[in-house]
Amino acid sequence: MSDLIEKCHVCGGLIDEEDLFCGNCGTEAPHREQGNTPTSTLSTHSFSCSGCGAAMSYSAEAEALRCPFCGSTQLEKGSDHKVIAPSQVLPFKITEAEAQQILREAIGKGFWRPPDLSEKAVIKNMVPVYVPYWVFSADVATNWTADTSQTPFGASGDWYPLAGEHSNQYSGVLVGASGVLTPNETSQLCPFDMSQTVTPDQVDLDRYTVEQFNVARKYARPMARSVLESLERSSVDAAYVPPRSRNVQVNLRIQNMASEPMLLPIWIMAYQYKDVVYRFLVNGQNGRSTGHGPVSYHRLYVILGTVAAVGLGLVALAALCGGLGSLLSR
């Protein structure tokens, strides 16, 4: 897979070599041969949020136009244009009631959270959203070197050099393509069981809010490389490098990298506690969650007060010991 940058001749936007059209203006990419699976579609219910900038397709069956990411009702109807079509969709399994229960249980945990948070938090908005992800696969070949203290019998030195090779195939590497959710949020919701995906025609996407792909494949590729490097380094360290080692060097060669656009299910929720709204996310397949919440300043003050009291006590003890030492030396 080449990393040469190709630009759209109309708007100048970057086009990945796997793309059939420019993600910025929709212009057909030159020298492309489209296969059996389409990678573009025509969006006819496209909206953009003036509050957070999210671009999404909106379900007409919902009661009101409201952005699921920030709750804003300031949504602007967009003109018909080409957007990336998913090759696979992962259906929702977590129900609305189950997602609410997950939120109540999750926000009630943690020493730094207010003790009444789970009881007094009010759910202000809750929307099932299909969020875009790029799913990468690649072949990785690795050469590694290290020095180990497990020297052979009779060796005169304390360290012994080791080297080796390793190869592996990776698939299902997820990179979030949301324009609103942060990379940390989309990664915290992983993993998903990608063996349960279905074709888009098997899911009634008109019943859901569908966020459009806001991270182009060209920009997702470096993030996928970083994940692949981390996975391969962990694999080599665990299987080949002895525990007591130093100067571990791992050189990777990534080949045959490919990617598919997919839609994954996420419950996007907003809850309010003492006039402040926080975002909470639930994996719509397995219930894994992540989100933000308030800090209990009362507990923080108690901890700081305890630390200060202990510090003063240690100072007083040191002064007392110093005074006793002076008396004994006379």
Side-chain angles (χ1 to χ4, degrees):
M1 187 65 65
S2 170
D3 283 328
L4 295 176
I5 295 177
E6 185 175 12
K7 291 187 176 181
C8 173
H9 67 276
V10 174
C11 69
L14 298 181
I15 303 177
D16 188 88
E17 56 188 307
E18 294 184 74
D19 291 337
L20 297 181
F21 67 98
C22 174
N24 185 47
C25 68
T27 302
E28 296 288 340
H31 313 300
R32 296 291 193 271
E33 294 182 0
Q34 185 168 349
N36 295 328
T37 303
T39 57
S40 64
T41 187
L42 190 66
S43 176
T44 57
H45 299 286
S46 176
F47 291 84
S48 61
C49 175
S50 59
C52 64
M56 71 205 83
S57 297
Y58 171 73
S59 169
E61 296 182 9
E63 295 181 356
L65 285 171
R66 183 180 295 275
C67 177
F69 300 96
C70 67
S72 173
T73 57
Q74 302 300 316
L75 301 184
E76 299 178 0
K77 178 71 170 67
S79 58
D80 294 350
H81 64 284
K82 286 185 177 181
V83 295
I84 297 173
S87 60
Q88 296 285 314
V89 178
L90 190 61
F92 274 89
K93 286 189 176 181
I94 300 297
T95 65
E96 180 175 351
E98 291 172 334
Q100 290 184 6
Q101 182 64 26
I102 291 170
L103 180 145
R104 294 292 180 186
E105 293 178 355
I107 64 177
K109 297 178 181 178
F111 177 80
W112 297 109
R113 298 299 183 209
D116 61 348
L117 176 59
S118 180
E119 177 185 352
K120 294 187 177 181
V122 178
I123 298 176
K124 305 294 291 184
N125 194 34
M126 183 176 183
V127 183
V129 179
Y130 276 108
V131 175
Y133 278 76
W134 293 108
V135 185
F136 285 87
S137 61
D139 299 328
V140 179
T142 302
N143 293 303
W144 61 271
T145 60
D147 296 333
T148 177
S149 60
Q150 300 177 4
T151 58
F153 178 77
S156 58
D158 296 329
W159 296 92
Y160 182 77
L162 294 177
E165 298 179 354
H166 181 256
S167 60
N168 204 351
Q169 292 181 329
Y170 291 94
S171 61
V173 176
L174 297 175
V175 176
S178 172
V180 182
L181 301 184
T182 66
N184 182 61
E185 287 176 320
T186 54
S187 63
Q188 286 292 325
L189 292 171
C190 297
F192 292 82
D193 182 3
M194 306 306 295
S195 66
Q196 302 298 315
T197 57
V198 298
T199 57
D201 60 347
Q202 294 179 270
V203 179
D204 188 5
L205 294 178
D206 288 338
R207 295 178 52 214
Y208 298 91
T209 299
V210 179
E211 186 187 5
Q212 298 170 9
F213 283 78
N214 287 278
V215 177
R217 197 190 319 248
K218 176 66 70 175
Y219 301 111
R221 192 180 298 277
M223 290 186 278
R225 287 182 176 273
S226 177
V227 175
L228 288 168
E229 290 176 0
S230 177
L231 291 173
E232 181 65 5
R233 289 177 186 275
S234 299
S235 179
V236 169
D237 286 343
Y240 299 100
V241 179
R244 297 183 60 187
S245 301
R246 67 178 186 180
N247 299 330
V248 179
Q249 301 292 332
V250 180
N251 298 313
L252 294 81
R253 183 180 181 184
I254 300 175
Q255 297 176 300
N256 303 322
M257 180 181 282
S259 60
E260 290 185 87
M262 295 191 185
L263 293 177
L264 304 185
I266 296 176
W267 282 99
I268 299 180
M269 310 167 71
Y271 70 92
Q272 181 176 324
Y273 178 78
K274 292 185 177 180
D275 300 327
V276 180
V277 177
Y278 303 91
R279 184 159 68 195
F280 190 83
L281 310 173
V282 176
N283 181 315
Q285 183 193 40
N286 57 34
R288 187 179 177 90
S289 63
T290 185
H292 305 283
V295 174
S296 174
Y297 291 101
H298 174 72
R299 291 183 175 179
L300 179 61
Y301 295 150
V302 170
I303 294 295
L304 293 177
T306 303
V307 172
V310 171
L312 292 174
L314 292 176
V315 171
L317 180 61
L320 179 61
C321 291
L324 291 175
S326 300
L327 291 173
L328 294 175
S329 64
R330 293 180 181 178

